[in-house]
Amino acid sequence: HDKNINDAPRQRERQVGNGKWTFPERKSAHGVHFDISAERHIPIHNGFYGQIEAGINGDWFWDAHSFDDFRLRTGAGVGWQNSRWDISLTPFIQRRIYSNKGYSTNFGTDANISYWLTPRWRLSSSMQAMHKNHDTRRWLNGNQYYGSLNVLFAPNARQYWFAGANAMRSQARDSSDAFKRYGISAGWGQEWGKGVSTRLMGSYGKRFAKDKDFFNIKRRDNEYNVNLALWHRNIHFLGITPRLVFSYSKIDSNNKFYSYDTSKVYLDFSRSF
């Protein structure tokens, strides 16, 4: 259940020159998010392995099909691991379909590194380089680069803490759509006893546009996200334990037409095997 599916700003009207712009009202929608993927590690020799992957994820709304969004991805690469290290490099291709129309095709490479400092502490890093190629919105075409560094601490089997920092640079033919973004995140997972578990995560990001937009404003956005999941391990069916999730996102921009907030409540059904 999404209360602001169209990301409508709180300020609907704004004077621009001698005219006035009016944005649409907020719309709510109901649907299903899904994420199905498969990954296979094929041992080669001395810790090296081949890796193949494929997946599809998306959002399908039964009362707002113009916002349906699907992403299909496949990739193949190589990796190496031992008792502490895991390093992989995976080229991929990703196809996006939005509002039942082709939207973009992306080509890129993922690099992932993780290292267990001790049985309780783990460091990990993810990097991605990708080229974006849009079907019709050619002005958005360009390269995108992303990197993150994360730390995980698990003092015992019932609790873990994590934190990280990340940076992104997104290029585009139209310089007003190009930007740099820097972010931090942190979270806490806890098993409380009697089968009850929670996971709380929050993040903050700062986005800087490269050039001025249509309103002659060089955008500066503050991005806030909070996510809380709650579940009970004794409530399950077919090996799946549903999680009740509350999610809140807010964009605070110096261009108020891009400022909005949205909240979601949903059930998460997941299974790994």
Side-chain angles (χ1 to χ4, degrees):
H1 172 56
D2 192 329
K3 294 182 179 180
N4 188 15
I5 188 66
N6 55 333
D7 295 340
R10 288 186 177 276
Q11 180 182 339
R12 292 190 59 209
E13 296 183 350
R14 180 168 181 171
Q15 198 73 25
V16 180
N18 296 323
K20 183 172 68 174
W21 282 75
T22 302
F23 277 62
E25 295 182 350
R26 295 185 174 198
K27 296 181 179 180
S28 62
H30 307 80
V32 176
H33 171 81
F34 60 91
D35 189 337
I36 304 171
S37 62
E39 181 179 292
R40 171 77 170 174
H41 284 191
I42 305 171
I44 299 177
H45 185 63
N46 289 337
F48 286 95
Y49 60 86
Q51 177 177 296
I52 56 175
E53 62 179 40
I56 178 173
N57 70 79
D59 301 285
W60 179 79
F61 298 96
W62 56 76
D63 54 3
H65 287 300
S66 60
F67 293 96
D68 289 349
D69 194 359
F70 308 106
R71 292 177 175 87
L72 299 90
R73 169 177 161 139
T74 184
V78 295
W80 177 82
Q81 67 179 149
N82 60 17
S83 59
R84 287 194 170 187
W85 288 93
D86 192 351
I87 304 171
S88 64
L89 187 70
T90 310
F92 67 88
I93 179 173
Q94 178 178 283
R95 177 65 173 164
R96 183 181 179 186
I97 300 172
Y98 182 77
S99 190
N100 299 313
K101 298 177 182 179
Y103 185 84
S104 64
T105 302
N106 301 333
F107 303 88
T109 299
D110 283 336
N112 294 282
I113 303 173
S114 69
Y115 176 68
W116 285 95
L117 295 168
T118 72
R120 295 182 178 181
W121 289 90
R122 187 187 72 177
L123 288 176
S124 62
S125 177
S126 298
M127 291 156 282
Q128 183 184 89
M130 180 175 69
H131 178 72
K132 302 171 295 179
N133 185 34
H134 293 77
D135 291 24
T136 57
R137 302 184 179 189
R138 303 291 187 182
W139 64 89
L140 297 176
N141 290 354
N143 296 327
Q144 182 171 290
Y145 307 96
Y146 172 85
S148 69
L149 181 63
N150 306 282
V151 60
L152 170 73
F153 173 59
N156 54 62
R158 301 180 61 181
Q159 183 184 92
Y160 61 91
W161 301 81
F162 57 92
N166 57 79
M168 175 190 291
R169 180 185 179 187
S170 184
Q171 300 173 333
R173 291 182 182 177
D174 186 338
S175 58
S176 66
D177 288 300
F179 64 88
K180 293 181 180 179
R181 183 189 182 279
Y182 306 95
I184 55 175
S185 62
W188 164 42
Q190 179 72 49
E191 182 181 328
W192 295 98
K194 297 184 179 180
V196 177
S197 297
T198 59
R199 184 177 187 267
L200 176 66
M201 184 176 70
S203 66
Y204 168 75
K206 184 75 173 182
R207 172 172 158 163
F208 302 86
K210 183 179 179 180
D211 209 346
K212 294 180 179 180
D213 59 20
F214 175 81
F215 300 102
N216 202 34
I217 296 175
K218 201 170 185 178
R219 283 179 60 187
R220 297 289 185 268
D221 295 353
N222 294 292
E223 304 175 2
Y224 306 89
N225 291 277
V226 178
N227 186 290
L228 174 64
L230 170 68
W231 67 96
H232 196 294
R233 68 168 180 264
N234 292 333
I235 301 176
H236 58 84
F237 60 94
L238 301 177
I240 299 174
T241 300
R243 299 187 303 171
L244 180 62
V245 184
F246 304 89
S247 176
Y248 176 76
S249 301
K250 179 180 179 180
I251 304 294
D252 185 11
S253 177
N254 61 336
N255 185 337
K256 296 306 178 183
F257 274 139
Y258 294 100
S259 294
Y260 69 90
D261 64 325
T262 182
S263 58
K264 299 179 183 179
V265 180
Y266 57 93
L267 287 172
D268 181 311
F269 303 89
S270 61
R271 174 80 183 268
S272 298
F273 54 91

